[in-house]
C-alpha cells in the first residue's frame, strides 16, 4: 500500500489526489498531499506512476503498511522503479536524440 | 510439485487450505527470465520491492478471488453501444459482460485489453449520444435519485450495521477456498441463507453520511453481487470451469450456457435458451 509521500520530491501538483480510485489522499492548503486513508489503498500503483516527480512509494504488500522509510526507499533506488520498469519516463528508450528532423529544419 | 497450473490448481488449493504454500520460478532459463522481466514488469516489481529473486528463492503464494475481473460475467449488454437493461446506463470493461464477444474464457492482456478499449469506446459513444438526446432543462429537472440499498434504506437507518461488517461477512462466504473453490450444495445453501440475511439488513438499515455514502453503497453492491453469485452457483447443478461442485462432478449438457440474473431485491435466474425464447417472442 501507499507508504511514502516524499516532501523533498513533491511539487504539490495534487495529481495523486485526483487519480487515486480509492480517495486515499487529501490535498493540503500549503503543502504536500497527505495520506489520509491509508487503509483504503488497493495497492494499484496508479498514484506512483502518475507522479511526475517520483515522489510516491507504494510498497508491494497490500494487507498493511510495511513501515519502509524514505531513506530506505531512496537507498534502494525504489522511487520511480515501477514507472521505469513499465518503460515510462526515464526508463523508456529515448530516440528523440536520434531524430534528424530538427537538422532538416535548420538547413531550410 | 513441479507445475501447479491447469488441473493441478486443485492440488494447490487443497494445500492452501491446509497451510502456507510456497513457490519458486526455477524452471525459467536465464534467457526466459529476461524475457519475462521485460514482458511482464507488473509481475516482477513486487518481488524487487520485497527483495526476493523469484527465480531462485521461495515466496509465499495464495489464490485471489477476482470476481468478474479477467473473466466472463458482469452487467448484461443489450445493444451494440453497450447499453443495459437500465435506460441511460452504459457499461464497459470488467463491469460489462463480454461473453458475446469472447465466449466463456478468462484471459489477461489480449482479450482483456481489447475488450476494455472496444467496450469503453462503444459505451462512451452510447452514453454521450444518450445524453445529447436529452439535453435541456426538462431532463435536468426531471432527474431523480434512484439508489436505494446503502443510500436510502427501505426501513429505518441503523447504527448497528456498518459497511465494513457487511463486507467482512460477504467475504467470509465468497472467498474461502473451502467454500468457493470446492463448492457443495449444502455449503452453498448455508452461504445463501447468510447472504440473504445480510442483504435484508443492508436493504433495510444501511446508510452513510458524506464520504461514507460511497462506502455504504459499495458494501450494498458487494452484498448484492455475493448473493447473486451464490444463487447462480446453486442453480448450476454441475461442475464447469471454475465452478467445482464436489458433490456434482462433471459437466451437464443442460447447462452449456450462461445464466442471466434479473432483479435486485427479488431476482430470477434464466438460462440462455429461455432468454433467447423471450427475445423471440
Amino acid at each position: 500500500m501507499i507508504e511514502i509521500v516524499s516532501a523533498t520530491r513533491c511539487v504539490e501538483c495534487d495529481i495523486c489526489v485526483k487519480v487515486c480510485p480509492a480517495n486515499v489522499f487529501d490535498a493540503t492548503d500549503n503543502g504536500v498531499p497527505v495520506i489520509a486513508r491509508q487503509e483504503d489503498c488497493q495497492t494499484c500503483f496508479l498514484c506512483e506512476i502518475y507522479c511526475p516527480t517520483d515522489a510516491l512509494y507504494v510498497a508491494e504488500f497490500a494487507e498493511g503498511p510495511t513501515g519502509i522509510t524514505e531513506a530506505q526507499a531512496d537507498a534502494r533506488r525504489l522511487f520511480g522503479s515501477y514507472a521505469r520498469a513499465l518503460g515510462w519516463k526515464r526508463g523508456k528508450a529515448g530516440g528523440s536524440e536520434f531524430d534528424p528532423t530538427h537538422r532538416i529544419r535548420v538547413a531550410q | 510439485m513441479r507445475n501447479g497450473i491447469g488441473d493441478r490448481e486443485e492440488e494447490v488449493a487443497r494445500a492452501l487450505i491446509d497451510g502456507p504454500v510456497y513457490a519458486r520460478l526455477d524452471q525459467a532459463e536465464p534467457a526466459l527470465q529476461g524475457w519475462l522481466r521485460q514482458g511482464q514488469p507488473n509481475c516482477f516489481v513486487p518481488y524487487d520491492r520485497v527483495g526476493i529473486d523469484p527465480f531462485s528463492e521461495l515466496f509465499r503464494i495464495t489464490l485471489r478471488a477476482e470476481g468478474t475481473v479477467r473473466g466472463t460475467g458482469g452487467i448484461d449488454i443489450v445493444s451494440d453501444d453497450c447499453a443495459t437493461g437500465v435506460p441511460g446506463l452504459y457499461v464497459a470493461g470488467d463491469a460489462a459482460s463480454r461473453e458475446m464477444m469472447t465466449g466463456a474464457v478468462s484471459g489477461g492482456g489480449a482479450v482483456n485489453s481489447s475488450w476494455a478499449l472496444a467496450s469503453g469506446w462503444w459505451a462512451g459513444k452510447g452514453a454521450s449520444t444518450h445524453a445529447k438526446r436529452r439535453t435541456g432543462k426538462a431532463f435536468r429537472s426531471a432527474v431523480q435519485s434512484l439508489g436505494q440499498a446503502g443510500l436510502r434504506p427501505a426501513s429505518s437507518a441503523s447504527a448497528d450495521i456498518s459497511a465494513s461488517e457487511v463486507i467482512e461477512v460477504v467475504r467470509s462466504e465468497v472467498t474461502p477456498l473451502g467454500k468457493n473453490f470446492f463448492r457443495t450444495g449444502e455449503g452453498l445453501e448455508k452461504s445463501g441463507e447468510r447472504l440473504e440475511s445480510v442483504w435484508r439488513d443492508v436493504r433495510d438499515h444501511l446508510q452513510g453520511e458524506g464520504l461514507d455514502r460511497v462506502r455504504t453503497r459499495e458494501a450494498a453492491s458487494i452484498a448484492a453481487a455475493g448473493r447473486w453469485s451464490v444463487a447462480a452457483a446453486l442453480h448450476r447443478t454441475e461442475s464447469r470451469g471454475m465452478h467445482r461442485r464436489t458433490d456434482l462432478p462433471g459437466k451437464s449438457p443442460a447447462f452449456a450456457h450462461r445464466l442471466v440474473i434479473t432483479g435486485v431485491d427479488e431476482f430470477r435466474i434464466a438460462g440462455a435458451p429461455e432468454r433467447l425464447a423471450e427475445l423471440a417472442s
Side-chain angles (χ1 to χ4, degrees):
Chain A
M1 58 181 33
I2 177 73
E3 305 240 7
I4 303 166
V5 179
S6 164
T8 54
R9 290 175 170 82
C10 179
V11 291
E12 298 169 26
C13 67
D14 291 343
I15 288 175
C16 54
V17 180
K18 296 185 193 98
V19 300
C20 176
N23 195 33
V24 164
F25 301 94
D26 273 344
T28 59
D29 286 339
N30 287 310
V32 305
V34 292
I35 303 169
R37 288 161 292 273
Q38 190 180 30
E39 68 281 5
D40 288 353
C41 175
Q42 299 169 354
T43 317
C44 73
F45 296 96
L46 265 189
C47 58
E48 196 185 305
I49 48 179
Y50 270 90
C51 179
T53 57
D54 295 337
L56 302 172
Y57 182 71
V58 178
E60 71 292 340
F61 190 60
E63 315 298 331
T66 62
I68 187 169
T69 64
E70 180 167 352
Q72 287 167 333
D74 217 8
R76 292 178 55 206
R77 297 196 65 242
L78 291 173
F79 281 104
S81 59
Y82 184 49
R84 286 195 296 275
L86 287 180
W88 286 31
K89 301 189 225 171
R90 290 177 292 284
K92 193 172 180 178
S96 57
E97 65 269 40
F98 305 117
D99 182 1
T101 315
H102 67 286
R103 296 188 191 283
I104 300 169
R105 291 212 176 110
V106 168
Q108 276 175 339
Chain B
M1 185 189 294
R2 197 167 150 74
N3 187 349
I5 306 285
D7 291 343
R8 304 202 65 187
E9 280 166 14
E10 287 197 24
E11 288 173 57
V12 177
R14 282 194 198 286
L16 276 165
I17 292 172
D18 293 339
V21 175
Y22 296 85
R24 178 166 52 206
L25 309 178
D26 54 4
Q27 292 177 62
E29 300 303 321
L32 179 59
Q33 293 177 16
W35 298 334
L36 284 169
R37 275 191 171 277
Q38 225 180 327
Q40 307 283 340
N42 263 334
C43 295
F44 291 94
V45 164
Y47 295 119
D48 294 341
R49 294 199 164 184
V50 80
I52 283 176
D53 172 15
F55 298 111
S56 64
E57 292 174 77
L58 286 170
F59 52 91
R60 195 168 166 184
I61 59 164
T62 189
L63 288 171
R64 289 272 183 208
E66 291 188 319
T68 61
V69 178
R70 292 165 68 91
T72 50
I75 300 167
D76 197 26
I77 291 173
V78 299
S79 72
D80 60 8
D81 59 358
C82 292
T84 64
V86 179
L89 180 67
Y90 294 79
V91 288
D94 291 326
S97 191
R98 68 176 190 215
E99 70 269 15
M100 283 190 292
M101 295 285 283
T102 62
V105 293
S106 179
V111 175
N112 266 6
S113 308
S114 51
W115 176 245
L117 286 168
S119 62
W121 174 268
W122 294 325
K125 216 174 156 190
S128 55
T129 307
H130 176 88
K132 212 174 168 185
R133 280 200 304 266
R134 287 162 181 77
T135 46
K137 279 186 175 171
F139 172 62
R140 294 217 173 107
S141 61
V143 167
Q144 282 182 333
S145 305
L146 294 174
Q148 294 167 22
L151 296 173
R152 297 170 192 86
S155 180
S156 56
S158 164
D160 294 340
I161 178 171
S162 74
S164 56
E165 282 163 3
V166 169
I167 293 171
E168 219 33 65
V169 174
V170 178
R171 266 193 192 147
S172 71
E173 294 304 328
V174 302
T175 60
L177 297 170
K179 287 184 183 173
N180 235 348
F181 193 100
F182 303 104
R183 291 167 161 173
T184 62
E186 198 188 333
L188 287 169
E189 291 274 4
K190 272 190 203 152
S191 294
E193 282 162 25
R194 188 133 187 248
L195 291 173
E196 193 59 42
S197 117
V198 169
W199 168 254
R200 268 187 242 124
D201 285 345
V202 166
R203 179 196 64 191
D204 294 342
H205 306 298
L206 182 66
Q207 191 179 32
E209 291 297 327
L211 264 185
D212 251 5
R213 286 163 64 80
V214 177
R215 211 173 271 276
T216 51
R217 185 62 165 168
E218 197 174 62
S221 307
I222 287 167
R227 184 169 162 256
W228 286 326
S229 75
V230 168
L234 259 173
H235 187 89
R236 188 176 280 283
T237 47
E238 61 157 1
S239 288
R240 184 183 296 273
M242 289 170 71
H243 173 63
R244 303 172 189 86
R245 283 280 299 260
T246 52
D247 51 348
L248 294 168
K251 287 180 192 171
S252 157
F255 279 107
H257 55 74
R258 64 179 179 162
L259 298 175
V260 178
I261 296 187
T262 312
V264 181
D265 188 33
E266 278 179 44
F267 61 84
R268 61 192 179 84
I269 304 175
E274 185 189 336
R275 201 165 163 272
L276 287 176
E278 276 174 21
L279 286 175
S281 64

